[in-house]
Amino acid sequence: MNEILFELLKVVIMVAVMLITRYVIPWVRERIGADKLALAEKWVRYAVLKAQQVMWSDDGPERKAYVTEFLKELLIEKNIALSDEQLDILIEAAVKQMKIEAGSGVTINNSAGEAPGEKTAK
């Protein structure tokens, strides 16, 4: 009887390990990836705003080069891997959002968060 219980317990443990390997580990990896992307989006927004404030006399390509270089260094430091194309898309989206906000006077609430006291459009 003990041997049957032991074998049953082994099967249950093997099934549990298989389920964890199949479903839980990919979910955790995906969640970590989503958190890293949210962090990258936040830093892209901050870098674009900084370039707008600090480099107001420079033209767009110079600002974009500054932001791109800053973000590449930061993402390496934070161990976040993004391709140049992905980084470019995030920068362009942040610039577009900044222009919309500047034109309307309303801050768009995004996943990167907002500064205290900002108005949000929902």
Side-chain angles (χ1 to χ4, degrees):
M1 182 71 171
N2 285 338
E3 290 180 27
I4 294 173
L5 226 49
F6 183 69
E7 290 299 319
L8 184 63
L9 184 61
K10 281 179 20 181
V11 169
V12 168
I13 290 173
M14 287 190 314
V15 169
V17 168
M18 182 184 72
L19 290 174
I20 288 171
T21 304
R22 173 71 173 104
Y23 296 106
V24 175
I25 292 174
W27 178 79
V28 169
R29 284 185 182 158
E30 181 181 315
R31 184 66 189 149
I32 290 171
D35 290 344
K36 285 184 176 184
L37 181 59
L39 180 65
E41 288 173 351
K42 180 177 86 172
W43 278 105
V44 167
R45 179 181 169 133
Y46 292 154
V48 167
L49 290 172
K50 178 184 177 188
Q52 176 70 17
Q53 293 296 315
V54 174
M55 303 177 72
W56 56 271
S57 63
D58 295 335
D59 60 354
E62 291 175 0
R63 289 183 196 169
K64 187 173 182 180
Y66 170 78
V67 169
T68 302
E69 187 61 34
F70 170 77
L71 289 172
K72 283 183 179 182
E73 291 174 12
L74 179 78
L75 294 174
I76 289 170
E77 179 183 311
K78 300 286 183 187
N79 197 25
I80 299 173
L82 291 177
S83 69
D84 289 342
E85 183 180 358
Q86 291 169 324
L87 190 57
D88 187 53
I89 290 169
L90 289 174
I91 292 169
E92 293 299 326
V95 169
K96 180 72 171 174
Q97 181 177 344
M98 184 183 64
K99 287 180 180 179
I100 290 171
E101 290 172 1
S104 68
V106 175
T107 300
I108 299 170
N109 187 9
N110 64 8
S111 62
E114 59 183 320
E118 284 185 335
K119 299 177 197 172
T120 58
K122 297 190 180 190

